[in-house]
Structure formats: C-alpha cells, structure tokens
Amino acid sequence: MNAHTAFPSGRPVVLRGGTVLTMDAARTVLESSDVLVVDDRVSAVGPDLSVPVGTAEIDARGGIVMPGMIDTHRHMWQTVMRGYGADWTLTQYFVWNYLEHGKHFRPQDVRAGNTLAALEALEAGVTTVVDWSHGLQTPDHAEAAVEGLKSVPGRYVLAYGNIQQAPAEWSATPEFRSFVERHRGGDLFDLQIAFDVTGDPSFPEKPAFEVARELGLPVTTHAGVWGATGDNSIKLMHENGFMGPETVYVHAASLSDDSYQRIAATGGSVSVSTESEQSAGQGYPPTWTIRRHDIPVSLSMDTSMWWSGDLFSAMRSTLSADRSREHLEAQRQGNTVTHSALRAAQVTEWATRGGAAALGRDDLGRIAPGAKADLVLIRNDDSPVSFPILNPYGHVVFQAQRGDVHTVLVDGRVVKYKHRLVDADLAAVRADVGATVDYLRSTIGEQEWAAGMNPDIPESKVLDNPYTYTDYRDASTHAG
C-alpha cells in the first residue's frame, strides 16, 4: 500500500486486529480488536467491525494500538542543537541559552528547530506537543515558531515566552496581544503563556499573570527547580490567586509538602521530565512524592539539546526513578518493598490521557467513539523484541521504542505509515538545520563552540580507604 495514494483526505481508515489500549478510566485492554476512523474521529472500537465501503485497512495484528502520546513541555526551538549539551549541568544550560548564545537565534533558526522537533515528535508517536517556546525575542521569532509547527501535521500548543525580557514587559506589548488574537483557539494549534516565577517578594511577574487571565490563556511555569524557582514562587502565586486547574507546573521536583498541597488544592497538574530532573538537577523526579498528594501528572521531554525526544524514554525513566526512590526510602527504614506502587499502565496513562487532562482536552488521550483520531500503532515485524506481547502496558513502557512505531494518525490523517513519515521533506529540513548550525557556529566561534559542548570536569578526590593494603596480593598470601 502506497501511503501517498492509499490515505486521501476523507477516506475512512480501520486498524485491524490489534491489541487496543483504550485508556478509559478502567484502562481497558481489548485484544484482537479494530479501530475505525471516520474523518477526524474514532467512529467505533471492537472486534470484526463492519466498515464503510472504500475504507483503507491497516493490519494491526501482532501490534498495539494506543492513543497518540502528549508531551506537555518541550523547548522545540533548541532541537537544532541536538545533543550539544549532553554533559551540561542546569547552570551551564542557563548560561549558554539565557546569558550568552541563545540571543543569537534568528527567526529562521527558531523555525528550523520547531520543524525538526515537530517531525521528531510525530516519528516517535507523539501527536501533541506543548512547545515551551521561551526563545521568542521578537514578534518575527514568534511568527517563525508558528510557521515551523504548522508545516508539520501534528497537534501543537505554543507556550509563548521570552527569556531575554521580564514577563511583565513582553506580555504587555500590543504585538503580543495581536499575536494572541491571530493564533489562539484552534483545534490543531492553540496557545499558552510561559514564564517562571523567581520568588522575589515584590512579585514582578504579577502583571504577566493578569494579562494571562485577561486573555484567557493558561500559564505553564517551571516550578520546583533547585536554586531557581521554589516554595516562595508557589506561595506568591497562591496568595495572589493565580493558581488554578489550567496551570501546569513543570518539574516541581524540589518543593515542600506545603507547595504540593497548594497545587493539589487548586487543581493544577505537574509535567514531569524525568530525564531532565535526573541529569540537570532540578530535584529528584517527583512522582514518588506527588502521588501522595493525588496531583495529576503528565510527561515531557524538555529539550533535545540534552536528552531524547520520545515519550518511550519518558515512561521508562519515570517508572524506574519512582520505583528506585520507593525502594530507597523503604530500605532506609529497614523495610522491603514487596509490591510496586506505580505500575506501567499508570505511566502509560500519564503519557496519553494525563497530557490531555493537563491541556483540558477530554477528546484526546483515549480511544473511544467520538474521541479525536490521534492514534499510534506499535508494530515491528522485523524485530525479535516485538513478540510475544503478554503484558501490553509493560511492553509499551519497557520494550517498545520509537523505531517500533509503525503508523501514526493525527486528527484522522495518516502521517506515518510502515515506519516512514508521510510527505516529510527531510532533505529540506536538514538543509535548513544545517544552515542554522553553520550560522551559530561561525557566530559563536570555533573555540567557544567546542568549549560550550565540553565543559571542564571538576577535580575529584578518591576517598581514603582504611581497608586498602599496600599490596593486597601479598596481604592475601599471608592472611590467616
């Protein structure tokens, strides 16, 4: 079947015979079942469905059909610098992007990064991404970000931000209001406002919150980032009435119980970026503690400047980090964990329906009649890891990877088929990204470029060991 001719607009599509993760409230799994898509919606789910004449069929036997995954926090403009900061700390990330070289990004560089990131997301089965776009230094940068996203057939929320100006400044401009008026409120593209709260008692971010409230824009903010945003930030937001169900707190990894209680009481949710929290140092990935407060969770990847850009990695690392902490806390008290509290099904829910809830989209993140047809088929007949599928949720979290994504639909449109993106001009994207890298490299300079990628390694000292012999072989010979 040729993807270019088999899936014309308006033609129904049915995925036949797969294991379907419905992600309903009971996390129901349907074996050997079909999913029928008509227009932009799931029309029916079940075994041996009757379908309209002319429906395109996709063989899902031996595979898993799940809702499209949702990433609630990704700095997409930074994807042109893929892997550059692999050895950074959070401090080095801040210096490079905020104080030094992030300001060199031109509008076309933001567009190139967003286009590449959007394709990367789709290829991995991530059908909705919140672009935490804090590199929008000018209105032209903002328009370029939109162009990049809309050039790729995914579902996006642009979280508008500008790290080069105070939130109260850029959010008050007529250009920002005009941008919001032009771009808000779409099904495939919508807006949030993105900025952080420093904890300054004068609360300089208050005017930005007031603009967000006036315009009806949800706020997403990096909270609980060690050394940057902490409990004072949450307290200021809460005491001034700027915490609500639509607020998304990214990381939330170094907060007190009091702050978690404020988030829980106001109905907010947390976007957990486990690879980021583990490596950069915002705090220990917080699911092990926020679960106790019953705070809703979604997952995110943060930035491909550092880490992977798929939610398989997010699910795997999140479940592992949570269990590691659970064991550690128990063992500190001399106890043994005999049953894991967090399960693979719950983490899969965070990657799908959890993201939908954070965005206020009940029509996403689940497979049921009437839901939006954002779907992923995990099937790889060429991989020995693709069988047997005994525990579908465990398979998704610990066995599957982006290379196993066979088919992706967004809004009923087939955008990836047989492991290949449909109508993606990767050569053109590669050329644009290459031009951006060449420009940044020449602007920064070769010496600074190399130094930024390879920060100095701190000096270390091996601890004295009282059990070290001058010659342990000799000592062992004379033992006893």
Side-chain angles (χ1 to χ4, degrees):
M1 183 185 294
N2 188 317
H4 296 278
T5 59
F7 306 112
S9 177
R11 184 180 185 186
V13 176
V14 64
L15 294 89
R16 289 283 194 193
T19 298
V20 179
L21 308 185
T22 65
M23 301 317 302
D24 61 9
R27 302 177 191 141
T28 301
V29 177
L30 303 176
E31 296 184 356
S32 301
S33 290
D34 308 335
V35 180
L36 174 63
V37 173
V38 178
D39 297 324
D40 63 339
R41 304 274 175 173
V42 174
S43 177
V45 184
D48 302 318
L49 294 178
S50 297
V51 300
V53 175
T55 297
E57 296 201 3
I58 297 174
D59 186 0
R61 291 174 298 174
I64 296 171
V65 181
M66 63 182 291
M69 288 173 274
I70 299 172
D71 185 325
T72 53
H73 155 243
R74 187 181 302 203
H75 305 298
M76 299 176 77
W77 63 287
Q78 296 174 348
T79 307
V80 291
M81 298 294 294
R82 181 189 307 286
Y84 180 90
D87 294 320
W88 280 351
T89 63
L90 191 62
T91 298
Q92 288 158 336
Y93 169 86
F94 284 158
V95 169
W96 201 97
N97 283 294
Y98 288 31
L99 301 179
E100 295 179 348
H101 306 305
K103 62 187 68 174
H104 295 313
F105 278 69
R106 305 163 299 176
Q108 59 263 45
D109 305 322
V110 172
R111 181 174 60 247
N114 274 23
T115 303
L116 180 61
L119 289 169
E120 174 184 36
L122 277 191
E123 196 260 344
V126 179
T127 54
T128 300
V129 185
V130 175
D131 177 18
W132 221 101
S133 196
H134 55 354
L136 306 183
Q137 305 173 59
T138 70
D140 288 342
H141 285 77
E143 293 297 340
V146 175
E147 290 173 16
L149 296 178
K150 289 190 174 181
S151 70
V152 179
R155 196 180 298 276
Y156 308 102
V157 177
L158 181 75
Y160 193 114
N162 178 3
I163 55 177
Q164 302 302 335
Q165 263 190 328
E169 294 179 36
W170 59 258
S171 65
T173 63
E175 291 82 6
F176 173 68
R177 291 175 179 270
S178 176
F179 179 89
V180 172
E181 290 173 2
R182 290 195 308 277
H183 294 295
R184 70 175 307 159
D187 180 27
L188 291 170
F189 184 88
D190 207 351
L191 298 176
Q192 293 179 353
I193 186 168
F195 60 88
D196 295 337
V197 180
T198 62
D200 181 337
S202 68
F203 198 23
E205 300 84 11
K206 183 177 181 180
F209 277 106
E210 291 170 340
V211 169
R213 175 171 292 172
E214 177 188 346
L215 297 177
L217 293 177
V219 173
T220 175
T221 185
H222 293 106
V225 175
W226 181 261
T229 59
D231 293 319
N232 289 339
S233 304
I234 298 296
K235 185 178 180 181
L236 284 168
M237 292 174 62
H238 187 255
E239 292 182 349
N240 285 273
F242 292 118
M243 295 175 69
E246 74 286 351
T247 310
V248 177
Y249 306 87
V250 177
H251 301 307
S254 52
L255 295 173
S256 66
D257 278 347
D258 180 76
S259 290
Y260 291 129
Q261 288 164 354
R262 293 177 194 254
I263 293 172
T266 53
S269 65
V270 171
S271 176
V272 175
S273 298
T274 301
E275 284 191 345
S276 177
E277 289 125 27
Q278 286 178 320
S279 183
Q282 293 92 339
Y284 196 90
T287 58
W288 68 280
T289 187
I290 60 179
R291 285 191 287 104
R292 295 187 291 111
H293 296 284
D294 199 27
I295 296 172
V297 174
S298 62
L299 300 183
S300 59
M301 287 313 306
D302 204 338
T303 174
S304 293
M305 203 172 188
W306 243 318
W307 304 290
S308 60
D310 67 88
L311 291 193
F312 295 109
S313 296
M315 288 186 283
R316 185 172 298 132
S317 61
T318 300
L319 187 55
S320 297
D322 191 292
R323 289 177 175 176
S324 177
R325 189 59 181 259
E326 186 179 22
H327 288 296
L328 179 63
E329 294 297 325
Q331 290 165 12
R332 280 176 173 171
Q333 301 175 35
N335 298 324
T336 299
V337 175
T338 59
H339 293 74
S340 295
L342 186 62
R343 304 300 174 95
Q346 188 171 351
V347 175
T348 307
E349 182 176 84
W350 290 345
T352 52
R353 196 166 181 175
L359 299 179
R361 293 290 302 262
D362 186 54
D363 56 347
L364 302 179
R366 59 191 181 92
I367 301 178
K372 283 285 188 176
D374 292 6
L375 303 172
V376 173
L377 168 60
I378 298 171
R379 178 185 172 188
N380 189 348
D381 294 342
D382 295 322
S383 170
V385 184
S386 66
F387 62 89
I389 299 175
L390 306 178
N391 177 345
Y393 287 113
H395 197 95
V396 166
V397 174
F398 281 128
Q399 308 299 322
Q401 56 186 317
R402 65 186 309 137
D404 299 322
V405 175
H406 179 285
T407 299
V408 179
L409 286 81
V410 178
D411 214 42
R413 175 181 176 181
V414 176
V415 297
K416 182 180 183 182
Y417 181 63
K418 289 187 175 179
H419 304 281
R420 295 181 64 88
L421 292 168
V422 176
D423 294 329
D425 189 350
L426 293 183
V429 176
R430 186 189 298 269
D432 288 343
V433 171
T436 284
V437 171
D438 289 344
Y439 157 74
L440 290 172
R441 194 165 187 161
S442 63
T443 300
I444 294 169
E446 284 299 319
Q447 185 173 355
E448 185 70 18
W449 177 272
M453 195 187 315
N454 298 285
D456 293 336
I457 300 175
E459 292 185 9
S460 61
K461 181 183 183 300
V462 176
L463 293 175
D464 293 331
N465 186 341
Y467 300 102
T468 300
Y469 296 97
T470 303
D471 186 340
Y472 71 90
R473 293 181 182 85
D474 182 67
S476 65
T477 302
H478 297 92

